[in-house]
């Protein structure tokens, strides 16, 4: 309890008083007093309204309510406890002052402490991860993550591959509870939900039989689903690591299926694009995600530099696979001689590759057509 000798807190607004204190003031000022004060003021709630300078029409409306003083205070947002005490002295209501000054001081003291606490929380947000500590000390901001990875400890080996690919090769920022959370957080579930709600773009659950054995994992999945429905956005990116009986709600999601890989699409590339920032411009998003991949692959880097637009065309990617080896041609004397182009008629390497590819494809087409014709002739003769 605060000391009653200190009246500094009486500068606070009456709207900050607790409900029991306001009820006590109403019970003492609502009853009508016939006798006026020495200065001619009403000695009930009407005296407070008069000294406040309230319009007569408002006073008439307040008088019709069951709690006139409470209705009056609810409209006077800027009325302080010190000002009310000044009015009560002019109304000769020292009995009200003596009975309520202590509780008003205590209420306003607690309200000021609560305001300080709220300002402290706003100025110094709760740090959840190790990255938050480093980032906040540098620029005063908290880390924004591309995805929160949710998994079972038994699947740590696969999660290590996910982190290696997404962070190591594609430059993304993932959040793993065991790796990134600082120790000593009082409410782990609250920290997880706050992080997912405000600072993680997606949630990446790694589904497996071990994953479904954890009630905590199920809770986070359900929370993330509800959050996505509430905000009308894509929040969960399900990843099936091992075959298991998925929750009914998750079965309707398109998912990353590690158990059904094929040569027509790359699992890791699909995960990268599924976790990419949808709000970023395409050029910025692709340059951010492909920067490390281009640096780690010299062939792609060389092709990107040789292209006028700085990108890698589809023909350039697969030309090395489709182009057959250059066959030497015999000269007049029967000697094998490579088909060379004169120096002054040199053709760019990319154009040579394209021509050789077309020539080879045309040759293979003619060969297959000839075989088909020969087969038809054989069938006719047999008939």
């Amino acid at each position: 309890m605060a000391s009653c000798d200190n009246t500094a807190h009486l500068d606070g607004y009456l709207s900050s008083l607790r409900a029991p204190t306001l009820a006590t003031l109403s019970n003492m000022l609502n009853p009508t007093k016939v006798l006026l004060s020495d200065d001619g003021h009403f000695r009930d709630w009407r005296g407070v309204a008069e000294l406040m300078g309230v319009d007569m029409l408002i006073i008439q409306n307040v008088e019709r309510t069951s709690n006139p003083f409470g209705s009056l205070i609810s409209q006077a947002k800027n009325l302080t406890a010190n000002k009310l005490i000044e009015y009560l002295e002019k109304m000769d209501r020292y009995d009200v002052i003596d009975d309520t000054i202590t509780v008003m001081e205590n209420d306003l003291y607690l309200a000021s402490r609560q305001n300080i606490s709220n300002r402290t929380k706003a100025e110094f947000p709760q740090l959840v991860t190790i990255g938050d500590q480093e980032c906040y000390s540098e620029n005063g901001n908290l880390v924004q993550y591309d995805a929160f990875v949710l998994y079972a400890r038994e699947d740590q080996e696969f999660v290590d591959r996910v982190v290696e690919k997404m962070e190591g090769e594609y430059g993304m920022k993932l959040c793993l509870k065991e790796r990134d959370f600082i120790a000593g957080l009082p409410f782990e579930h609250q920290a997880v939900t706050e992080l997912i709600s405000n600072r993680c773009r997606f949630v990446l659950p790694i589904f497996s039989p071990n994953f479904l054995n954890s009630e905590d994992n199920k809770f986070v999945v359900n929370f993330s689903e509800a959050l996505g429905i509430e905000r009308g956005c894509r929040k969960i990116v399900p990843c099936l690591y091992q075959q298991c009986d998925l929750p009914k709600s998750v079965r309707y999601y398109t998912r990353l299926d590690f158990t059904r890989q094929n040569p027509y699409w790359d699992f890791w590339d699909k995960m990268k694009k599924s976790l990419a920032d949808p709000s970023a411009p395409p050029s910025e998003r692709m340059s951010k995600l492909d920067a490390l991949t281009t640096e780690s692959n010299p062939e792609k880097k060389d092709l990107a530099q040789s292209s006028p637009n700085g990108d890698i065309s589809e023909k350039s990617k697969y030309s090395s696979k489709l182009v057959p080896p250059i066959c030497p041609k015999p000269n007049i004397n029967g000697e094998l001689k490579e088909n060379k182009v004169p120096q002054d008629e040199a053709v760019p390497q990319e154009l040579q590759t394209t021509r050789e590819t077309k020539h080879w494809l045309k040759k293979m087409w003619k060969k297959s057509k000839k075989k088909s014709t020969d087969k038809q002739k054989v069938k006719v003769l047999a008939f």
Side-chain angles (χ1 to χ4, degrees):
M1 300 293 288
S3 173
C4 296
D5 296 334
N6 185 10
T7 59
H9 301 293
L10 293 175
D11 291 332
Y13 298 117
L14 291 183
S15 57
S16 301
L17 296 178
R18 295 182 301 122
T21 305
L22 290 173
T24 302
L25 288 170
S26 298
N27 292 334
M28 300 185 72
L29 293 173
N30 280 338
T32 303
K33 300 293 183 182
V34 179
L35 299 178
L36 303 180
S37 66
D38 294 340
D39 296 335
H41 299 295
F42 288 107
R43 300 178 64 247
D44 50 31
W45 67 271
R46 294 174 296 174
V48 178
E50 179 188 2
L51 292 170
M52 288 173 57
V54 178
D55 186 78
M56 183 57 66
L57 182 61
I58 296 178
I59 294 178
Q60 292 176 356
N61 292 333
V62 168
E63 190 174 9
R64 297 190 184 98
T65 63
S66 58
N67 183 7
F69 179 77
S71 302
L72 185 65
I73 294 302
S74 64
Q75 299 182 23
K77 301 294 184 181
N78 297 327
L79 182 60
T80 63
N82 271 333
K83 204 66 177 176
L84 177 63
I85 292 174
E86 180 183 338
Y87 295 158
L88 293 174
E89 289 176 348
K90 293 180 180 180
M91 295 163 50
D92 294 337
R93 292 301 303 269
Y94 295 98
D95 57 322
V96 179
I97 298 175
D98 293 339
D99 290 347
T100 59
I101 188 171
T102 301
V103 290
M104 284 195 293
E105 285 181 3
N106 291 331
D107 289 355
L108 296 175
Y109 169 75
L110 295 175
S112 65
R113 291 290 299 272
Q114 184 64 35
N115 291 335
I116 293 174
S117 176
N118 292 338
R119 286 198 300 270
T120 302
K121 290 181 179 179
E123 295 173 0
F124 303 100
Q126 183 183 12
L127 305 181
V128 177
T129 66
I130 298 174
D132 289 342
Q133 292 180 322
E134 298 172 353
C135 188
Y136 189 80
S137 61
E138 292 179 1
N139 50 34
N141 297 324
L142 300 180
V143 180
Q144 300 295 322
Y145 294 94
D146 292 299
F148 182 88
V149 184
L150 193 64
Y151 62 96
R153 292 182 179 179
E154 293 82 358
D155 303 328
Q156 184 67 52
E157 183 178 353
F158 176 73
V159 174
D160 292 341
R161 294 181 61 188
V162 172
V163 174
E164 180 183 355
K165 285 285 186 180
M166 296 301 108
E167 291 189 342
E169 295 188 16
Y170 301 134
M172 290 189 166
K173 191 68 177 177
L174 304 180
C175 181
L176 284 72
K177 185 176 67 175
E178 285 76 9
R179 182 192 68 175
D180 297 321
F181 275 30
I182 58 177
L185 295 175
F187 302 104
E188 183 177 301
H189 278 73
Q190 182 179 352
V192 171
T193 54
E194 187 275 335
L195 199 65
I196 291 175
S197 301
N198 303 320
R199 295 198 282 125
C200 289
R201 186 180 304 115
F202 297 110
V203 176
L204 181 65
I206 310 297
F207 284 101
S208 68
N210 294 318
F211 180 92
L212 298 176
N213 291 332
S214 171
E215 295 297 328
D216 292 343
N217 289 342
K218 293 179 182 178
F219 166 78
V220 177
V221 169
N222 292 335
F223 171 80
S224 303
E225 284 184 284
L227 187 64
I229 294 173
E230 178 185 348
R231 297 182 178 178
C233 64
R234 185 168 60 98
K235 192 65 179 177
I236 288 186
V237 180
C239 175
L240 184 62
Y241 169 49
Q242 295 175 347
Q243 289 294 341
C244 60
D245 188 14
L246 293 173
K248 291 184 178 179
S249 57
V250 179
R251 294 174 191 172
Y252 297 101
Y253 286 84
T254 55
R255 50 189 174 270
L256 302 166
D257 195 341
F258 187 73
T259 65
R260 298 178 60 185
Q261 298 190 58
N262 59 66
Y264 296 102
W265 58 277
D266 182 77
F267 174 81
W268 301 112
D269 183 68
K270 187 175 182 180
M271 178 180 286
K272 171 195 70 175
K273 294 177 179 177
S274 299
L275 298 177
D277 186 0
S279 62
S283 58
E284 178 183 342
R285 180 166 68 247
M286 295 309 297
S287 61
K288 176 183 177 183
L289 294 179
D290 294 339
L292 294 175
T293 306
T294 305
E295 292 179 0
S296 61
N297 194 333
E299 296 180 359
K300 287 188 178 181
K301 188 175 182 180
D302 294 340
L303 287 172
Q305 290 177 352
S306 62
S307 175
N309 298 326
D311 57 353
I312 303 173
S313 63
E314 293 297 325
K315 293 182 179 179
S316 302
K317 290 180 181 179
Y318 302 106
S319 59
S320 60
K321 298 181 181 179
L322 296 176
V323 177
I326 300 176
C327 300
K329 297 181 179 180
N331 57 10
I332 300 176
N333 300 325
E335 299 176 353
L336 295 178
K337 182 178 179 181
E338 292 185 0
N339 186 17
K340 296 184 178 180
V341 180
Q343 186 67 25
D344 55 345
E345 300 179 3
V347 183
Q349 183 65 29
E350 293 181 2
L351 190 58
Q352 275 189 5
T353 303
T354 306
R355 289 178 177 176
E356 291 165 357
T357 303
K358 291 181 178 179
H359 177 72
W360 179 73
L361 291 174
K362 188 175 181 180
K363 183 177 179 181
M364 296 301 294
W365 178 77
K366 288 182 178 180
K367 190 174 181 180
S368 62
K369 186 176 181 181
K370 184 178 179 182
K371 288 183 178 180
S372 177
T373 306
D374 293 341
K375 287 183 179 180
Q376 292 179 358
K377 290 181 178 178
V378 171
K379 288 182 179 180
V380 171
L381 293 173
F383 178 76

